[in-house]
Amino acid sequence: MKNQPAWHLIHTKPRQERIAREHLERQGFQTYLPEIRQPGRSRSSVAPLFPRYLFIRLTAGLDDWTPIRSTRGVSSLVRIGMNPARISDQLVDNIRKREGTDGLHRLPVELFS
């Protein structure tokens, strides 16, 4: 499906998800970084839900993907073979639906006991 926007995955450098998101958004890309409040820690303890991964919405044939690799914080675009891995809109929507009003995910504390 050429010229259809789709979600893809960016593999980031260690602990640079936010830096990659910031620099990609400055370049005009739409990104999504699901974050989680870490249970049992201070209110300011927020981490990526999927460490070292960042969702990016790209349109094949329209978006220039070449600057992505050289963007600060980005390691690579996740691929299946030679093609960038596509993530379904439904999956990203379901992840977003589970966010709290503050935009953060929470896991039950008992999972970490």
Side-chain angles (χ1 to χ4, degrees):
M1 288 199 231
K2 207 168 187 168
N3 299 334
Q4 293 294 321
W7 287 104
H8 298 275
L9 272 180
I10 295 286
H11 189 241
T12 68
K13 294 179 180 171
R15 293 176 297 284
Q16 292 191 21
E17 300 89 354
R18 290 181 188 97
I19 291 169
R21 175 184 61 189
E22 177 184 332
H23 287 270
L24 288 166
E25 288 178 353
R26 279 190 200 161
Q27 295 174 52
F29 292 107
Q30 180 185 358
T31 65
Y32 175 53
L33 177 63
E35 295 180 307
I36 185 168
R37 182 168 313 284
Q38 295 184 329
R41 302 214 177 153
S42 69
R43 267 187 104 31
S44 63
S45 184
V46 174
L49 183 60
F50 307 109
R52 297 196 65 188
Y53 290 95
L54 169 69
F55 294 95
I56 186 167
R57 192 150 177 90
L58 300 168
T59 305
L62 293 179
D63 288 327
D64 181 11
W65 299 24
T66 53
I68 293 173
R69 284 188 332 176
S70 59
T71 299
R72 189 168 173 222
V74 171
S75 182
S76 64
L77 189 63
V78 175
R79 296 178 179 276
I80 298 175
M82 296 300 292
N83 300 319
R86 291 176 58 111
I87 308 301
S88 74
D89 288 343
Q90 183 181 7
L91 176 64
V92 175
D93 290 342
N94 285 337
I95 293 170
R96 282 190 161 147
K97 286 177 187 174
R98 295 174 188 263
E99 291 177 352
T101 55
D102 58 359
L104 298 174
H105 293 266
R106 285 177 184 72
L107 292 178
V109 178
E110 60 270 7
L111 290 177
F112 296 97
S113 300

